[in-house]
Amino acid sequence: MKKFRQLPAALVTLLLLVAGCSSNSSSSGGSGNTSKPLVIGASLPLSGDFAQPGEASKKGYTIWQEMVNKNGGLLKRQVQLKIVDDASDQNTVVSDYNRLISQDKVDLLLGTFSSLLNIPASAVAEKAGKTYVCPACGSPDMFNRKFKNIFFAQPATAVHQADLFAQWVKSLPADQRPKTAAYPTQDDPFAQPVVNGIKDQLEAAGIKTVYGKVYPADTSNFDTIASDIKNAKPDLIAQGAVFEDGVGLVRSLVKAGYSPKAMFQTSAPSNGDQYSKSVGAANTEGVFYAVSWSPAAKYPLNQEFLQAYQTKFGGVPEEDAADSFAAAQVLQAAVQAVGSVDDQAKLSDWLHNNKVDTILGPLSWDERGAPQQAFILAQWQSGAAQVVLPQNVATSQKIVFPKPNWGGQG
Amino acid sequence: MKLAQTVLLGLLTGGVYALLASGLTLVFGVMRIINVAQGALLILAALFTFEIWRRTGLDPLLAIVVTTPLMFGVGWLLYRGLLARVRAAPEAMTVLLTFALAIAIEGFMGLIWRNVFRSVTPSYFASSFHVGGLFLPKGLAAGCLTAVVVLGLLYLVLTRTWTGRAIRASAENLQGAQLVGVRVVDVAALTFAIGVATTGAGGSILSILQPVFPASHYVWISKLLGIIVLGGMGSLPGAVIGALLLGVAENVTSAYVSPRWSLVVFYVVIMVVLLVRPQGIAGSRLREDVAA
């Protein structure tokens, strides 16, 4: 009898072990090359709040690694990834990068996900003189520390992410242009600056701000916020959203029965199916967002990336996977150009002075490591996400405006 | 008008909170166990609901008849397998154990449902009743109504059945209950299972109110603790009062101060109550020296 009573406890222990192992796994590289593999270390949020983008990042790095190894490796060495889990925790990410550098002695580093984690992690890399390319670190706080070795592998920093949207609003004829705007935003180092960027540009163009409250990351109830916005009657809503909050606000606006003439959200609408299933496909019509990457763009290797992802993981890659792939491409370009990984100051110097072709388009950086290009403006149209600006990569020639009423009842 | 709308939303939210907090307060009342895993179990039930809805299209509120017994079973197994072993240990030990359990459940959910947001979207999930100038979200109203029914049933079980009397007797006076022949170990397992079973209904309701994610449980356990501390730990009516008050307070703060402060309300309440009235609104002060 005693044995049976211990069974559940044993099962739970097993569960703990399994959960622990799975979040600590590191993928190893291919085989068959005689020289020592080139080890690239990264810590990613594979559990906790950022687990979703963290996993996408890992997929992006993995696809890149397999493509590089298939083509003979980097500097003729097979590439090995050492990915550890920081549980979305700032303290853990710091100790992870310290360990990768000083104990595991990895050859190269790749960044983690989110500005929140990259800000402390990049400080570790800078101190150790390691080149640090991060896939998602657009917060202004990343670039005001005069670091020489950090590079943000996306087309623009957060403040300029929605430039195309703001320019488009300003270009509307005076009688159609929104006159008032609401800027609800999560207290998030990546979302808030984007919305502030839009706000500054639209206020300068004479569009009045009627709502601008900030809510914390844990907010789950948006009914009151929606009701507040409804009372303010803005023509345009630009929300600094991550995911859950973007879904929450749309749902609550539908429930409150308020539909603005134009709706922009950061990040959330770029999550494809997850977004449309969560808000209801009919409610996505006309929602704008800015993206760093589009599956349709004809940049070198983009189609190969799509195919490799489809084969290995199935489906369309997440934007975060594409950004991570691009971050690895940036590092690869520098290593190939310099021809060695021993002096990383040389890698950083090279990146400061050159343009790199990635699946996000060509990227270049200023002396702080901030990228100098522009994000793509996308919009949900008839249940699918379309690129609407800039015109040379657009997948749809029209822009839905004004936004029709929410597709759901209410 | 704005105030009426805000208070209305607050009361509806509070009704749902009451159900979510009921299991936590019940388990604490009887066993002095603060079940930190309650939030994780809630998310687990929400994900079960998602799975049922995805496979069969069954309305999430009807899925309660499946999730409740399921979670009852989970609770019973957890108590027999784990918590019964630390019955004699200090209370801090159960906090540690249930916290570990919460993390284990989070990991388990990540393995099964992956780390993506899951939403249950029946036809009414994003629509409202419009009364006068006010709106009443249908999902929230249905959830609140269901919560009231489930809480009513729970209250009847506790007050009108011998099992319920045994549970309350164990809560009020453990030795006395033993003396009159209550098998306190069985009662404890049953109470814990009932406490976890409330997450079945709670999780099903939650799944239509917002997308859920394995790590969503942290914010829930903090909210629920705030509610039961305010209501008086161990008291079911207290939990209901605490839930309604905090539901309204959260919404009013969000509308009139800033959404930034609306969650802080829960933590401030915990501190103030512990300083001013540690037994909460409806809790009773126990003489620990005699009880021990």
Side-chain angles (χ1 to χ4, degrees):
Chain A
M1 202 54 208
K2 185 108 178 121
K3 260 187 196 159
F4 283 105
R5 269 206 264 143
Q6 281 168 349
L7 189 67
L11 275 177
V12 171
T13 318
L14 189 73
L15 214 74
L16 268 168
L17 282 171
V18 171
C21 293
S22 74
S23 54
N24 254 327
S25 64
S26 57
S27 29
S28 52
S31 56
N33 205 310
T34 46
S35 60
K36 216 173 84 182
L38 192 78
V39 183
I40 304 182
S43 166
L44 288 173
L46 299 174
S47 58
D49 283 345
F50 299 145
Q52 183 198 355
E55 259 172 33
S57 282
K58 186 177 168 183
K59 288 178 183 170
Y61 286 161
T62 312
I63 296 280
W64 170 82
Q65 175 211 18
E66 289 181 355
M67 275 168 78
V68 168
N69 284 343
K70 216 160 53 187
N71 294 324
L74 187 52
L75 301 180
K76 300 210 171 101
R77 289 162 72 182
Q78 287 288 301
V79 171
Q80 206 174 73
L81 287 178
K82 184 165 180 57
I83 296 177
V84 292
D85 177 18
D86 56 46
S88 311
D89 181 80
Q90 286 187 314
N91 294 317
T92 315
V93 83
V94 166
S95 58
D96 277 355
Y97 276 99
N98 271 318
R99 201 180 62 231
L100 288 168
I101 295 168
S102 55
Q103 270 181 34
D104 302 336
K105 302 209 185 327
V106 297
D107 298 301
L108 292 162
L109 292 177
L110 276 169
T112 183
F113 181 86
S114 87
S115 294
L116 193 76
L117 297 173
N118 270 309
I119 288 171
S122 58
V124 175
E126 180 76 16
K127 215 163 76 187
K130 291 272 190 185
T131 300
Y132 187 87
V133 186
C134 42
C137 50
S139 162
D141 293 337
M142 263 320 271
F143 308 106
N144 55 18
R145 297 172 298 176
K146 299 196 174 123
F147 283 3
K148 292 187 182 66
N149 296 304
I150 58 167
F151 298 90
F152 176 33
Q154 281 188 27
T157 55
V159 186
H160 297 288
Q161 201 189 99
D163 280 3
L164 284 179
F165 176 71
Q167 284 159 18
W168 169 78
V169 172
K170 288 191 285 186
S171 75
L172 289 168
D175 56 325
Q176 289 178 29
R177 196 198 295 175
K179 291 178 180 56
T180 52
Y183 305 97
T185 177
Q186 184 175 126
D187 187 2
D188 174 273
F190 194 55
Q192 201 176 352
V194 181
V195 166
N196 287 341
I198 302 176
K199 187 174 156 190
D200 291 345
Q201 296 185 53
L202 295 190
E203 276 182 349
I207 295 172
K208 208 175 128 210
T209 301
V210 291
Y211 180 96
K213 284 182 181 169
V214 179
Y215 54 87
D218 290 344
T219 308
S220 57
N221 178 358
F222 286 88
D223 290 341
T224 312
I225 295 175
S227 145
D228 235 15
I229 292 176
K230 183 185 182 182
N231 289 333
K233 296 193 178 55
D235 291 335
L236 177 150
I237 299 177
Q239 183 192 12
V242 176
F243 179 79
E244 197 186 1
D245 52 333
V247 169
L249 185 66
V250 169
R251 284 181 171 200
S252 293
L253 284 170
V254 178
K255 287 186 265 183
Y258 188 77
S259 176
K261 276 164 81 177
M263 175 98 191
F264 176 94
Q265 295 182 300
T266 60
S267 305
S270 71
N271 284 280
D273 267 8
Q274 258 193 86
Y275 179 74
S276 66
K277 277 186 187 155
S278 299
V279 301
N283 292 326
T284 58
E285 187 67 15
V287 175
F288 286 103
Y289 61 99
V291 269
S292 54
W293 170 78
S294 157
K298 291 190 176 50
Y299 296 122
L301 280 187
N302 200 22
Q303 297 313 310
E304 287 86 339
F305 167 70
L306 273 173
Q307 254 170 23
Y309 186 98
Q310 168 78 42
T311 315
K312 192 167 171 70
F313 302 112
V316 179
E318 300 87 344
E319 186 185 352
D320 298 319
D323 292 341
S324 300
F325 184 92
Q329 282 187 297
V330 169
L331 189 64
Q332 176 187 6
V335 170
Q336 276 167 345
V338 173
S340 146
V341 296
D342 301 332
D343 186 359
Q344 305 222 335
K346 280 187 187 155
L347 298 180
S348 301
D349 280 348
W350 187 86
L351 286 175
H352 279 301
N353 296 312
N354 287 280
K355 205 169 219 178
V356 179
D357 275 320
T358 72
I359 57 170
L360 313 178
L363 298 179
S364 64
W365 298 266
D366 66 8
E367 70 287 351
R368 304 166 304 159
Q372 302 298 297
Q373 285 72 29
F375 265 50
I376 292 166
L377 183 66
Q379 186 182 42
W380 280 87
Q381 297 179 354
S382 314
Q386 302 285 358
V387 174
V388 292
L389 287 172
Q391 258 148 6
N392 59 346
V393 291
T395 55
S396 168
Q397 293 311 311
K398 60 165 186 189
I399 292 181
V400 175
F401 179 80
K403 188 183 98 57
N405 221 324
W406 299 112
Q409 312 90 311
Chain B
M1 201 58 153
K2 181 177 173 187
L3 185 66
Q5 178 72 62
T6 310
V7 172
L8 177 71
L9 288 172
L11 286 173
L12 290 175
T13 321
V16 176
Y17 285 173
L19 173 63
L20 304 186
S22 62
L24 194 63
T25 201
L26 185 69
V27 167
F28 181 80
V30 175
M31 287 178 281
R32 308 281 128 181
I33 289 176
I34 299 168
N35 183 12
V36 183
Q38 191 83 359
L41 290 162
L42 181 70
I43 303 300
L44 182 65
L47 287 171
F48 278 143
T49 310
F50 166 77
E51 201 59 47
I52 294 169
W53 177 78
R54 180 166 68 170
R55 285 172 191 274
T56 67
L58 185 71
D59 186 276
L61 292 177
L62 292 178
I64 288 176
V65 296
V66 183
T67 52
T68 303
L70 195 64
M71 293 313 289
F72 182 91
V74 170
W76 194 85
L77 283 177
L78 286 177
Y79 187 82
R80 286 290 175 175
L82 285 174
L83 286 148
R85 288 155 199 277
V86 293
R87 249 166 60 83
E91 280 162 27
M93 197 60 212
T94 62
V95 172
L96 270 182
L97 179 62
T98 52
F99 186 48
L101 194 59
I103 296 171
I105 294 170
E106 183 191 336
F108 171 76
M109 293 189 292
L111 283 180
I112 305 286
W113 286 281
R114 296 189 296 123
N115 281 305
V116 294
F117 282 96
R118 303 292 187 176
S119 304
V120 179
T121 51
S123 58
Y124 53 85
F125 86 103
S127 57
S128 301
F129 300 110
H130 291 269
V131 186
L134 303 180
F135 70 97
L136 212 92
K138 285 183 188 167
L140 194 57
C144 183
L145 210 64
T146 315
V148 171
V149 171
V150 175
L151 280 173
L153 286 176
L154 187 62
Y155 190 73
L156 285 180
V157 168
L158 286 178
T159 52
R160 298 290 151 84
T161 64
W162 281 108
T163 314
R165 291 189 185 108
I167 290 176
R168 285 188 301 140
S170 308
E172 276 164 28
N173 190 332
L174 194 67
Q175 279 142 342
Q178 268 174 321
L179 214 57
V180 297
V182 173
R183 280 188 299 184
V184 289
V185 180
D186 288 348
V187 167
L190 185 69
T191 313
F192 193 81
I194 293 176
V196 174
T198 60
T199 65
S204 294
I205 294 172
L206 184 66
S207 71
I208 49 171
L209 297 184
Q210 59 187 79
V212 291
F213 180 75
S216 311
H217 69 97
Y218 293 106
V219 59
W220 281 106
I221 191 64
S222 338
K223 278 188 176 182
L224 299 185
L225 283 174
I227 290 167
I228 69 165
V229 167
L230 174 63
M233 296 194 56
S235 159
L236 189 57
V240 175
I241 299 169
L244 292 175
L245 283 176
L246 281 175
V248 172
E250 182 190 10
N251 281 282
V252 168
T253 312
S254 172
Y256 290 94
V257 186
S258 161
R260 206 192 265 268
W261 292 99
S262 64
L263 272 175
V264 180
V265 169
F266 288 87
Y267 304 105
V268 172
V269 159
I270 293 182
M271 284 193 284
V272 172
V273 170
L274 290 180
L275 283 173
V276 180
R277 192 180 155 86
Q279 73 272 35
I281 293 173
S284 51
R285 244 181 219 277
L286 277 185
R287 283 194 56 182
E288 298 274 342
D289 52 339
V290 179

